[in-house]
Amino acid sequence: MLIRAVEVEGRGLVDVRIGADGRIAELGPCLAGPADVHGRGGALLPGLHDHHVHLTALAAATASVRVGPRDIRGPAGLAKALREGPPGEWVRAVGYHESVAGELDRWTLDAMVPDRPVRVQHRSGAMWFLNSAALRSAGLDDGADRDGRLWRSDERLRRLVPPVRLDLAGLGLRAARRGVTGFTNADPRPAPGLARTLAVLPQRVVVMGVDATAPVKIMLDDQSLPTPTGLADTVAGARPRPVAVHCVTRVQLLVTLLALEQAGPVEGDRIEHGAVIPDEVLPWLRRLAVTVVTQPHFPVERGREYATDVSPDDRPHLYRCRSLAEAGIPPAAGTDAPYGTSDPWAVMRAAVAREDGEAVTAHAALRLFLGAPEQPARTRRLAVGSPADLCLLHVPLHEALDVLSADLVRAAYVGGRAITP
């Protein structure tokens, strides 16, 4: 395939030929042969890669009721949304935060929907709330979970509740239209056969803990936090593979850095989220050469809730971006969808718009999603021999950086094959 007259960063206006092997074969002005696609001067970029996403949860979101702070307000609004949920035996709701209607348990949900199984997921993804009908149906009515609050129970619930329809076709199409050509699925305990399930997506998918080149995901919670030595043993057990450690609190990050120091870091080690990164650990992160895969949009999306939920000592250190780069720790980004927006361009706009000293330039925001899947902080560039995973824009790069919108995506290609209609 020959793509004519596209702007490639660092090369100006060129033609790009893609070989039968799905890689860039030639790149230069006035290549011979008829054009298969005329770029009309639009920018041709490496395809966007979402470095941290939960694909099956995102695919299930279309069959779920949205009950987050920006979807509904108050107990009456929550009750109405749950009662009017889509047809079927169960109601599955996602995105809940206490600012909507306070703390939830089985009895609170029973008052809203007494006669139909309901399960509501907290916005963090860490907690499910079930009403009495749901607990009875799942066989949990008289056990330790009888209050209806199930912590880190996704794996168990998969065996106990009816499966949810996964709209993987719609997910893949929506992502392609945004120029996304790859995902890193970040589930801590992938479901059996997950890689096969996700193989229907047109994008390239890296599954943590499954693919041989992918990092091993390590989940941390303050309630069950290991000692640094215990975590170092877990890290050593994963070697020679890198690890991706979930760190959303200050103590989780400190334990992780101590463990990596003890076990010895390897190329590809990652901190997932890095929700709280104090100034004093920045040199430590740089010395260990770990990558921080963060969500710079969360302080923008969740600012109102963070103002009350987060300790004042931690608020200046939330989801850092600019200060990481300035400290020599190039960040990368993942949407964390469905727990955040699934649109990388919206993440970029939020990263540029932050008002807490962590804002980055539009170009730096774009690079957050241009990293290599196995090395998210290493920016991919178009060159002869590189995979033809591409995002073609309607406009030159400088115009795109002014708006950072998915509306500017004209086409996406994986291995030289168009994945957009």
Side-chain angles (χ1 to χ4, degrees), residues 380-418:
R380 289 169 289 134
R381 301 190 185 280
L382 302 189
V384 172
S386 63
D389 298 351
L390 308 169
C391 172
L392 176 59
L393 303 183
H394 287 288
V395 299
L397 182 59
H398 73 275
E399 294 184 28
L401 294 176
D402 285 340
V403 291
L404 293 174
S405 171
D407 293 339
L408 299 181
V409 174
R410 177 177 163 189
Y413 304 86
V414 171
R417 179 178 58 86

PDB file of all heavy atoms in Angstrom, residues 380-418:
ATOM      1  N   ARG A 380       7.532   5.852  19.986  1.00  0.00           N
ATOM      2  CA  ARG A 380       7.670   5.239  18.660  1.00  0.00           C
ATOM      3  C   ARG A 380       7.703   6.336  17.589  1.00  0.00           C
ATOM      4  O   ARG A 380       7.013   7.344  17.699  1.00  0.00           O
ATOM      5  CB  ARG A 380       6.490   4.313  18.378  1.00  0.00           C
ATOM      6  CG  ARG A 380       6.485   3.037  19.207  1.00  0.00           C
ATOM      7  CD  ARG A 380       5.161   2.302  19.080  1.00  0.00           C
ATOM      8  NE  ARG A 380       4.118   3.052  19.772  1.00  0.00           N
ATOM      9  CZ  ARG A 380       2.916   3.298  19.272  1.00  0.00           C
ATOM     10  NH1 ARG A 380       2.592   2.880  18.068  1.00  0.00           N
ATOM     11  NH2 ARG A 380       2.030   3.976  19.973  1.00  0.00           N
ATOM     12  N   ARG A 381       8.487   6.094  16.545  1.00  0.00           N
ATOM     13  CA  ARG A 381       8.556   7.011  15.407  1.00  0.00           C
ATOM     14  C   ARG A 381       8.465   6.201  14.124  1.00  0.00           C
ATOM     15  O   ARG A 381       8.877   5.033  14.092  1.00  0.00           O
ATOM     16  CB  ARG A 381       9.843   7.836  15.450  1.00  0.00           C
ATOM     17  CG  ARG A 381       9.972   8.655  16.740  1.00  0.00           C
ATOM     18  CD  ARG A 381      11.105   9.659  16.682  1.00  0.00           C
ATOM     19  NE  ARG A 381      11.270  10.337  17.959  1.00  0.00           N
ATOM     20  CZ  ARG A 381      10.511  11.353  18.376  1.00  0.00           C
ATOM     21  NH1 ARG A 381       9.556  11.818  17.588  1.00  0.00           N
ATOM     22  NH2 ARG A 381      10.721  11.913  19.560  1.00  0.00           N
ATOM     23  N   LEU A 382       7.940   6.812  13.090  1.00  0.00           N
ATOM     24  CA  LEU A 382       7.801   6.117  11.820  1.00  0.00           C
ATOM     25  C   LEU A 382       9.149   6.041  11.131  1.00  0.00           C
ATOM     26  O   LEU A 382       9.833   7.047  10.940  1.00  0.00           O
ATOM     27  CB  LEU A 382       6.787   6.836  10.929  1.00  0.00           C
ATOM     28  CG  LEU A 382       5.376   7.005  11.518  1.00  0.00           C
ATOM     29  CD1 LEU A 382       4.420   7.525  10.450  1.00  0.00           C
ATOM     30  CD2 LEU A 382       4.862   5.693  12.094  1.00  0.00           C
ATOM     31  N   ALA A 383       9.536   4.833  10.757  1.00  0.00           N
ATOM     32  CA  ALA A 383      10.810   4.605  10.093  1.00  0.00           C
ATOM     33  C   ALA A 383      10.709   3.331   9.289  1.00  0.00           C
ATOM     34  O   ALA A 383       9.837   2.478   9.534  1.00  0.00           O
ATOM     35  CB  ALA A 383      11.946   4.495  11.118  1.00  0.00           C
ATOM     36  N   VAL A 384      11.588   3.190   8.307  1.00  0.00           N
ATOM     37  CA  VAL A 384      11.614   1.969   7.514  1.00  0.00           C
ATOM     38  C   VAL A 384      11.863   0.785   8.449  1.00  0.00           C
ATOM     39  O   VAL A 384      12.762   0.811   9.290  1.00  0.00           O
ATOM     40  CB  VAL A 384      12.714   2.056   6.431  1.00  0.00           C
ATOM     41  CG1 VAL A 384      12.878   0.700   5.732  1.00  0.00           C
ATOM     42  CG2 VAL A 384      12.367   3.130   5.412  1.00  0.00           C
ATOM     43  N   GLY A 385      11.013  -0.220   8.310  1.00  0.00           N
ATOM     44  CA  GLY A 385      11.108  -1.410   9.140  1.00  0.00           C
ATOM     45  C   GLY A 385      10.184  -1.425  10.334  1.00  0.00           C
ATOM     46  O   GLY A 385       9.971  -2.483  10.938  1.00  0.00           O
ATOM     47  N   SER A 386       9.636  -0.272  10.689  1.00  0.00           N
ATOM     48  CA  SER A 386       8.746  -0.247  11.859  1.00  0.00           C
ATOM     49  C   SER A 386       7.356  -0.758  11.468  1.00  0.00           C
ATOM     50  O   SER A 386       6.939  -0.651  10.314  1.00  0.00           O
ATOM     51  CB  SER A 386       8.655   1.164  12.439  1.00  0.00           C
ATOM     52  OG  SER A 386       8.093   2.059  11.501  1.00  0.00           O
ATOM     53  N   PRO A 387       6.620  -1.351  12.431  1.00  0.00           N
ATOM     54  CA  PRO A 387       5.273  -1.838  12.130  1.00  0.00           C
ATOM     55  C   PRO A 387       4.383  -0.708  11.620  1.00  0.00           C
ATOM     56  O   PRO A 387       4.452   0.412  12.125  1.00  0.00           O
ATOM     57  CB  PRO A 387       4.776  -2.377  13.471  1.00  0.00           C
ATOM     58  CG  PRO A 387       6.019  -2.653  14.262  1.00  0.00           C
ATOM     59  CD  PRO A 387       7.008  -1.622  13.828  1.00  0.00           C
ATOM     60  N   ALA A 388       3.576  -1.032  10.637  1.00  0.00           N
ATOM     61  CA  ALA A 388       2.683  -0.029  10.044  1.00  0.00           C
ATOM     62  C   ALA A 388       1.394   0.061  10.851  1.00  0.00           C
ATOM     63  O   ALA A 388       0.292  -0.163  10.346  1.00  0.00           O
ATOM     64  CB  ALA A 388       2.407  -0.345   8.586  1.00  0.00           C
ATOM     65  N   ASP A 389       1.543   0.354  12.150  1.00  0.00           N
ATOM     66  CA  ASP A 389       0.412   0.652  13.027  1.00  0.00           C
ATOM     67  C   ASP A 389       0.312   2.166  13.060  1.00  0.00           C
ATOM     68  O   ASP A 389       1.143   2.839  13.696  1.00  0.00           O
ATOM     69  CB  ASP A 389       0.650   0.090  14.430  1.00  0.00           C
ATOM     70  CG  ASP A 389       0.780  -1.427  14.431  1.00  0.00           C
ATOM     71  OD1 ASP A 389       0.512  -2.054  13.393  1.00  0.00           O
ATOM     72  OD2 ASP A 389       1.166  -1.982  15.477  1.00  0.00           O
ATOM     73  N   LEU A 390      -0.684   2.709  12.383  1.00  0.00           N
ATOM     74  CA  LEU A 390      -0.668   4.116  12.014  1.00  0.00           C
ATOM     75  C   LEU A 390      -1.982   4.804  12.327  1.00  0.00           C
ATOM     76  O   LEU A 390      -3.053   4.178  12.339  1.00  0.00           O
ATOM     77  CB  LEU A 390      -0.396   4.257  10.506  1.00  0.00           C
ATOM     78  CG  LEU A 390       0.828   3.508   9.965  1.00  0.00           C
ATOM     79  CD1 LEU A 390       0.823   3.509   8.450  1.00  0.00           C
ATOM     80  CD2 LEU A 390       2.110   4.128  10.508  1.00  0.00           C
ATOM     81  N   CYS A 391      -1.879   6.098  12.559  1.00  0.00           N
ATOM     82  CA  CYS A 391      -3.039   6.969  12.765  1.00  0.00           C
ATOM     83  C   CYS A 391      -2.904   8.129  11.774  1.00  0.00           C
ATOM     84  O   CYS A 391      -1.960   8.919  11.866  1.00  0.00           O
ATOM     85  CB  CYS A 391      -3.069   7.475  14.194  1.00  0.00           C
ATOM     86  SG  CYS A 391      -4.313   8.740  14.529  1.00  0.00           S
ATOM     87  N   LEU A 392      -3.825   8.215  10.837  1.00  0.00           N
ATOM     88  CA  LEU A 392      -3.809   9.264   9.819  1.00  0.00           C
ATOM     89  C   LEU A 392      -4.812  10.346  10.209  1.00  0.00           C
ATOM     90  O   LEU A 392      -5.990  10.047  10.455  1.00  0.00           O
ATOM     91  CB  LEU A 392      -4.169   8.687   8.451  1.00  0.00           C
ATOM     92  CG  LEU A 392      -4.287   9.679   7.284  1.00  0.00           C
ATOM     93  CD1 LEU A 392      -2.982  10.423   7.066  1.00  0.00           C
ATOM     94  CD2 LEU A 392      -4.739   8.962   6.015  1.00  0.00           C
ATOM     95  N   LEU A 393      -4.338  11.577  10.274  1.00  0.00           N
ATOM     96  CA  LEU A 393      -5.185  12.699  10.647  1.00  0.00           C
ATOM     97  C   LEU A 393      -5.630  13.483   9.410  1.00  0.00           C
ATOM     98  O   LEU A 393      -4.977  13.447   8.366  1.00  0.00           O
ATOM     99  CB  LEU A 393      -4.444  13.636  11.603  1.00  0.00           C
ATOM    100  CG  LEU A 393      -3.901  13.022  12.894  1.00  0.00           C
ATOM    101  CD1 LEU A 393      -3.255  14.102  13.758  1.00  0.00           C
ATOM    102  CD2 LEU A 393      -4.997  12.291  13.660  1.00  0.00           C
ATOM    103  N   HIS A 394      -6.706  14.228   9.562  1.00  0.00           N
ATOM    104  CA  HIS A 394      -7.193  15.087   8.486  1.00  0.00           C
ATOM    105  C   HIS A 394      -6.309  16.307   8.289  1.00  0.00           C
ATOM    106  O   HIS A 394      -6.324  16.916   7.216  1.00  0.00           O
ATOM    107  CB  HIS A 394      -8.612  15.567   8.796  1.00  0.00           C
ATOM    108  CG  HIS A 394      -9.668  14.512   8.643  1.00  0.00           C
ATOM    109  ND1 HIS A 394     -10.086  14.036   7.419  1.00  0.00           N
ATOM    110  CD2 HIS A 394     -10.414  13.851   9.569  1.00  0.00           C
ATOM    111  CE1 HIS A 394     -11.028  13.131   7.587  1.00  0.00           C
ATOM    112  NE2 HIS A 394     -11.247  12.996   8.882  1.00  0.00           N
ATOM    113  N   VAL A 395      -5.554  16.698   9.317  1.00  0.00           N
ATOM    114  CA  VAL A 395      -4.844  17.972   9.308  1.00  0.00           C
ATOM    115  C   VAL A 395      -3.382  17.763   9.688  1.00  0.00           C
ATOM    116  O   VAL A 395      -3.019  16.722  10.256  1.00  0.00           O
ATOM    117  CB  VAL A 395      -5.495  18.967  10.301  1.00  0.00           C
ATOM    118  CG1 VAL A 395      -6.949  19.244   9.915  1.00  0.00           C
ATOM    119  CG2 VAL A 395      -5.414  18.443  11.736  1.00  0.00           C
ATOM    120  N   PRO A 396      -2.523  18.744   9.421  1.00  0.00           N
ATOM    121  CA  PRO A 396      -1.132  18.656   9.874  1.00  0.00           C
ATOM    122  C   PRO A 396      -1.050  18.630  11.395  1.00  0.00           C
ATOM    123  O   PRO A 396      -1.996  19.017  12.096  1.00  0.00           O
ATOM    124  CB  PRO A 396      -0.488  19.921   9.293  1.00  0.00           C
ATOM    125  CG  PRO A 396      -1.383  20.359   8.195  1.00  0.00           C
ATOM    126  CD  PRO A 396      -2.760  19.940   8.590  1.00  0.00           C
ATOM    127  N   LEU A 397       0.109  18.212  11.893  1.00  0.00           N
ATOM    128  CA  LEU A 397       0.261  18.011  13.326  1.00  0.00           C
ATOM    129  C   LEU A 397       0.046  19.293  14.112  1.00  0.00           C
ATOM    130  O   LEU A 397      -0.606  19.271  15.168  1.00  0.00           O
ATOM    131  CB  LEU A 397       1.655  17.435  13.622  1.00  0.00           C
ATOM    132  CG  LEU A 397       1.946  17.117  15.085  1.00  0.00           C
ATOM    133  CD1 LEU A 397       0.953  16.116  15.642  1.00  0.00           C
ATOM    134  CD2 LEU A 397       3.377  16.593  15.246  1.00  0.00           C
ATOM    135  N   HIS A 398       0.548  20.424  13.641  1.00  0.00           N
ATOM    136  CA  HIS A 398       0.421  21.644  14.443  1.00  0.00           C
ATOM    137  C   HIS A 398      -1.038  22.031  14.631  1.00  0.00           C
ATOM    138  O   HIS A 398      -1.411  22.579  15.669  1.00  0.00           O
ATOM    139  CB  HIS A 398       1.223  22.791  13.815  1.00  0.00           C
ATOM    140  CG  HIS A 398       0.625  23.365  12.573  1.00  0.00           C
ATOM    141  ND1 HIS A 398       0.836  22.824  11.317  1.00  0.00           N
ATOM    142  CD2 HIS A 398      -0.198  24.445  12.390  1.00  0.00           C
ATOM    143  CE1 HIS A 398       0.188  23.540  10.419  1.00  0.00           C
ATOM    144  NE2 HIS A 398      -0.449  24.522  11.038  1.00  0.00           N
ATOM    145  N   GLU A 399      -1.876  21.749  13.642  1.00  0.00           N
ATOM    146  CA  GLU A 399      -3.304  22.032  13.797  1.00  0.00           C
ATOM    147  C   GLU A 399      -3.944  21.039  14.761  1.00  0.00           C
ATOM    148  O   GLU A 399      -4.815  21.414  15.564  1.00  0.00           O
ATOM    149  CB  GLU A 399      -4.003  21.978  12.442  1.00  0.00           C
ATOM    150  CG  GLU A 399      -3.587  23.067  11.472  1.00  0.00           C
ATOM    151  CD  GLU A 399      -4.383  23.024  10.177  1.00  0.00           C
ATOM    152  OE1 GLU A 399      -5.543  22.554  10.213  1.00  0.00           O
ATOM    153  OE2 GLU A 399      -3.855  23.464   9.145  1.00  0.00           O
ATOM    154  N   ALA A 400      -3.527  19.789  14.682  1.00  0.00           N
ATOM    155  CA  ALA A 400      -4.086  18.784  15.586  1.00  0.00           C
ATOM    156  C   ALA A 400      -3.753  19.091  17.036  1.00  0.00           C
ATOM    157  O   ALA A 400      -4.584  18.889  17.944  1.00  0.00           O
ATOM    158  CB  ALA A 400      -3.562  17.400  15.206  1.00  0.00           C
ATOM    159  N   LEU A 401      -2.555  19.593  17.280  1.00  0.00           N
ATOM    160  CA  LEU A 401      -2.150  19.894  18.653  1.00  0.00           C
ATOM    161  C   LEU A 401      -2.938  21.045  19.247  1.00  0.00           C
ATOM    162  O   LEU A 401      -3.014  21.190  20.466  1.00  0.00           O
ATOM    163  CB  LEU A 401      -0.651  20.196  18.697  1.00  0.00           C
ATOM    164  CG  LEU A 401       0.276  19.031  18.350  1.00  0.00           C
ATOM    165  CD1 LEU A 401       1.727  19.487  18.342  1.00  0.00           C
ATOM    166  CD2 LEU A 401       0.083  17.863  19.309  1.00  0.00           C
ATOM    167  N   ASP A 402      -3.537  21.860  18.414  1.00  0.00           N
ATOM    168  CA  ASP A 402      -4.351  22.968  18.908  1.00  0.00           C
ATOM    169  C   ASP A 402      -5.656  22.488  19.531  1.00  0.00           C
ATOM    170  O   ASP A 402      -6.214  23.165  20.406  1.00  0.00           O
ATOM    171  CB  ASP A 402      -4.671  23.947  17.775  1.00  0.00           C
ATOM    172  CG  ASP A 402      -3.484  24.811  17.382  1.00  0.00           C
ATOM    173  OD1 ASP A 402      -2.554  24.928  18.209  1.00  0.00           O
ATOM    174  OD2 ASP A 402      -3.486  25.339  16.262  1.00  0.00           O
ATOM    175  N   VAL A 403      -6.160  21.323  19.070  1.00  0.00           N
ATOM    176  CA  VAL A 403      -7.489  20.887  19.529  1.00  0.00           C
ATOM    177  C   VAL A 403      -7.479  19.514  20.202  1.00  0.00           C
ATOM    178  O   VAL A 403      -8.348  19.213  21.016  1.00  0.00           O
ATOM    179  CB  VAL A 403      -8.504  20.882  18.363  1.00  0.00           C
ATOM    180  CG1 VAL A 403      -8.803  22.295  17.912  1.00  0.00           C
ATOM    181  CG2 VAL A 403      -8.006  20.056  17.191  1.00  0.00           C
ATOM    182  N   LEU A 404      -6.534  18.632  19.837  1.00  0.00           N
ATOM    183  CA  LEU A 404      -6.431  17.302  20.443  1.00  0.00           C
ATOM    184  C   LEU A 404      -7.798  16.609  20.496  1.00  0.00           C
ATOM    185  O   LEU A 404      -8.335  16.290  21.561  1.00  0.00           O
ATOM    186  CB  LEU A 404      -5.831  17.403  21.849  1.00  0.00           C
ATOM    187  CG  LEU A 404      -4.373  17.844  21.929  1.00  0.00           C
ATOM    188  CD1 LEU A 404      -3.945  18.050  23.377  1.00  0.00           C
ATOM    189  CD2 LEU A 404      -3.447  16.830  21.264  1.00  0.00           C
ATOM    190  N   SER A 405      -8.331  16.351  19.315  1.00  0.00           N
ATOM    191  CA  SER A 405      -9.673  15.769  19.233  1.00  0.00           C
ATOM    192  C   SER A 405      -9.670  14.536  18.347  1.00  0.00           C
ATOM    193  O   SER A 405      -9.038  14.521  17.277  1.00  0.00           O
ATOM    194  CB  SER A 405     -10.666  16.787  18.679  1.00  0.00           C
ATOM    195  OG  SER A 405     -11.913  16.177  18.396  1.00  0.00           O
ATOM    196  N   ALA A 406     -10.422  13.516  18.761  1.00  0.00           N
ATOM    197  CA  ALA A 406     -10.588  12.323  17.946  1.00  0.00           C
ATOM    198  C   ALA A 406     -11.284  12.622  16.633  1.00  0.00           C
ATOM    199  O   ALA A 406     -11.189  11.836  15.680  1.00  0.00           O
ATOM    200  CB  ALA A 406     -11.362  11.261  18.725  1.00  0.00           C
ATOM    201  N   ASP A 407     -11.979  13.753  16.558  1.00  0.00           N
ATOM    202  CA  ASP A 407     -12.655  14.118  15.311  1.00  0.00           C
ATOM    203  C   ASP A 407     -11.663  14.322  14.169  1.00  0.00           C
ATOM    204  O   ASP A 407     -12.056  14.310  12.996  1.00  0.00           O
ATOM    205  CB  ASP A 407     -13.472  15.396  15.500  1.00  0.00           C
ATOM    206  CG  ASP A 407     -14.653  15.200  16.441  1.00  0.00           C
ATOM    207  OD1 ASP A 407     -15.067  14.034  16.626  1.00  0.00           O
ATOM    208  OD2 ASP A 407     -15.143  16.197  16.999  1.00  0.00           O
ATOM    209  N   LEU A 408     -10.400  14.530  14.499  1.00  0.00           N
ATOM    210  CA  LEU A 408      -9.389  14.769  13.471  1.00  0.00           C
ATOM    211  C   LEU A 408      -8.816  13.474  12.908  1.00  0.00           C
ATOM    212  O   LEU A 408      -8.037  13.510  11.954  1.00  0.00           O
ATOM    213  CB  LEU A 408      -8.254  15.620  14.041  1.00  0.00           C
ATOM    214  CG  LEU A 408      -8.641  17.012  14.542  1.00  0.00           C
ATOM    215  CD1 LEU A 408      -7.423  17.742  15.063  1.00  0.00           C
ATOM    216  CD2 LEU A 408      -9.307  17.816  13.425  1.00  0.00           C
ATOM    217  N   VAL A 409      -9.192  12.324  13.472  1.00  0.00           N
ATOM    218  CA  VAL A 409      -8.676  11.045  12.986  1.00  0.00           C
ATOM    219  C   VAL A 409      -9.413  10.658  11.714  1.00  0.00           C
ATOM    220  O   VAL A 409     -10.638  10.556  11.690  1.00  0.00           O
ATOM    221  CB  VAL A 409      -8.825   9.941  14.051  1.00  0.00           C
ATOM    222  CG1 VAL A 409      -8.407   8.584  13.479  1.00  0.00           C
ATOM    223  CG2 VAL A 409      -7.998  10.276  15.283  1.00  0.00           C
ATOM    224  N   ARG A 410      -8.644  10.449  10.666  1.00  0.00           N
ATOM    225  CA  ARG A 410      -9.228  10.048   9.384  1.00  0.00           C
ATOM    226  C   ARG A 410      -9.250   8.534   9.220  1.00  0.00           C
ATOM    227  O   ARG A 410     -10.216   7.966   8.683  1.00  0.00           O
ATOM    228  CB  ARG A 410      -8.426  10.684   8.238  1.00  0.00           C
ATOM    229  CG  ARG A 410      -8.886  10.292   6.847  1.00  0.00           C
ATOM    230  CD  ARG A 410      -8.086  11.029   5.793  1.00  0.00           C
ATOM    231  NE  ARG A 410      -8.219  10.401   4.484  1.00  0.00           N
ATOM    232  CZ  ARG A 410      -7.504  10.721   3.421  1.00  0.00           C
ATOM    233  NH1 ARG A 410      -6.580  11.682   3.511  1.00  0.00           N
ATOM    234  NH2 ARG A 410      -7.683  10.087   2.271  1.00  0.00           N
ATOM    235  N   ALA A 411      -8.174   7.861   9.639  1.00  0.00           N
ATOM    236  CA  ALA A 411      -8.094   6.408   9.487  1.00  0.00           C
ATOM    237  C   ALA A 411      -7.059   5.858  10.454  1.00  0.00           C
ATOM    238  O   ALA A 411      -6.161   6.560  10.910  1.00  0.00           O
ATOM    239  CB  ALA A 411      -7.728   6.040   8.051  1.00  0.00           C
ATOM    240  N   ALA A 412      -7.208   4.576  10.761  1.00  0.00           N
ATOM    241  CA  ALA A 412      -6.217   3.857  11.574  1.00  0.00           C
ATOM    242  C   ALA A 412      -5.884   2.551  10.880  1.00  0.00           C
ATOM    243  O   ALA A 412      -6.744   1.926  10.242  1.00  0.00           O
ATOM    244  CB  ALA A 412      -6.759   3.600  12.980  1.00  0.00           C
ATOM    245  N   TYR A 413      -4.627   2.146  11.003  1.00  0.00           N
ATOM    246  CA  TYR A 413      -4.126   0.932  10.340  1.00  0.00           C
ATOM    247  C   TYR A 413      -3.343   0.102  11.348  1.00  0.00           C
ATOM    248  O   TYR A 413      -2.586   0.633  12.146  1.00  0.00           O
ATOM    249  CB  TYR A 413      -3.189   1.302   9.182  1.00  0.00           C
ATOM    250  CG  TYR A 413      -3.795   2.231   8.151  1.00  0.00           C
ATOM    251  CD1 TYR A 413      -3.759   3.607   8.325  1.00  0.00           C
ATOM    252  CD2 TYR A 413      -4.397   1.713   6.994  1.00  0.00           C
ATOM    253  CE1 TYR A 413      -4.310   4.462   7.380  1.00  0.00           C
ATOM    254  CE2 TYR A 413      -4.958   2.566   6.046  1.00  0.00           C
ATOM    255  CZ  TYR A 413      -4.904   3.926   6.251  1.00  0.00           C
ATOM    256  OH  TYR A 413      -5.454   4.767   5.318  1.00  0.00           O
ATOM    257  N   VAL A 414      -3.526  -1.195  11.271  1.00  0.00           N
ATOM    258  CA  VAL A 414      -2.716  -2.136  12.059  1.00  0.00           C
ATOM    259  C   VAL A 414      -2.029  -3.081  11.086  1.00  0.00           C
ATOM    260  O   VAL A 414      -2.689  -3.774  10.313  1.00  0.00           O
ATOM    261  CB  VAL A 414      -3.574  -2.930  13.064  1.00  0.00           C
ATOM    262  CG1 VAL A 414      -2.754  -4.050  13.716  1.00  0.00           C
ATOM    263  CG2 VAL A 414      -4.138  -2.002  14.139  1.00  0.00           C
ATOM    264  N   GLY A 415      -0.714  -3.058  11.093  1.00  0.00           N
ATOM    265  CA  GLY A 415       0.033  -3.858  10.132  1.00  0.00           C
ATOM    266  C   GLY A 415      -0.301  -3.479   8.705  1.00  0.00           C
ATOM    267  O   GLY A 415      -0.270  -4.349   7.799  1.00  0.00           O
ATOM    268  N   GLY A 416      -0.611  -2.223   8.483  1.00  0.00           N
ATOM    269  CA  GLY A 416      -0.938  -1.749   7.144  1.00  0.00           C
ATOM    270  C   GLY A 416      -2.358  -2.033   6.712  1.00  0.00           C
ATOM    271  O   GLY A 416      -2.760  -1.664   5.602  1.00  0.00           O
ATOM    272  N   ARG A 417      -3.154  -2.640   7.573  1.00  0.00           N
ATOM    273  CA  ARG A 417      -4.554  -2.958   7.244  1.00  0.00           C
ATOM    274  C   ARG A 417      -5.461  -1.951   7.933  1.00  0.00           C
ATOM    275  O   ARG A 417      -5.357  -1.735   9.134  1.00  0.00           O
ATOM    276  CB  ARG A 417      -4.892  -4.365   7.710  1.00  0.00           C
ATOM    277  CG  ARG A 417      -6.326  -4.803   7.455  1.00  0.00           C
ATOM    278  CD  ARG A 417      -6.542  -6.244   7.914  1.00  0.00           C
ATOM    279  NE  ARG A 417      -6.242  -6.402   9.329  1.00  0.00           N
ATOM    280  CZ  ARG A 417      -7.121  -6.166  10.313  1.00  0.00           C
ATOM    281  NH1 ARG A 417      -8.341  -5.730  10.038  1.00  0.00           N
ATOM    282  NH2 ARG A 417      -6.762  -6.356  11.567  1.00  0.00           N
ATOM    283  N   ALA A 418      -6.348  -1.347   7.139  1.00  0.00           N
ATOM    284  CA  ALA A 418      -7.260  -0.363   7.713  1.00  0.00           C
ATOM    285  C   ALA A 418      -8.209  -1.031   8.699  1.00  0.00           C
ATOM    286  O   ALA A 418      -8.784  -2.077   8.397  1.00  0.00           O
ATOM    287  CB  ALA A 418      -8.044   0.338   6.615  1.00  0.00           C
TER     288      ALA A 418
END
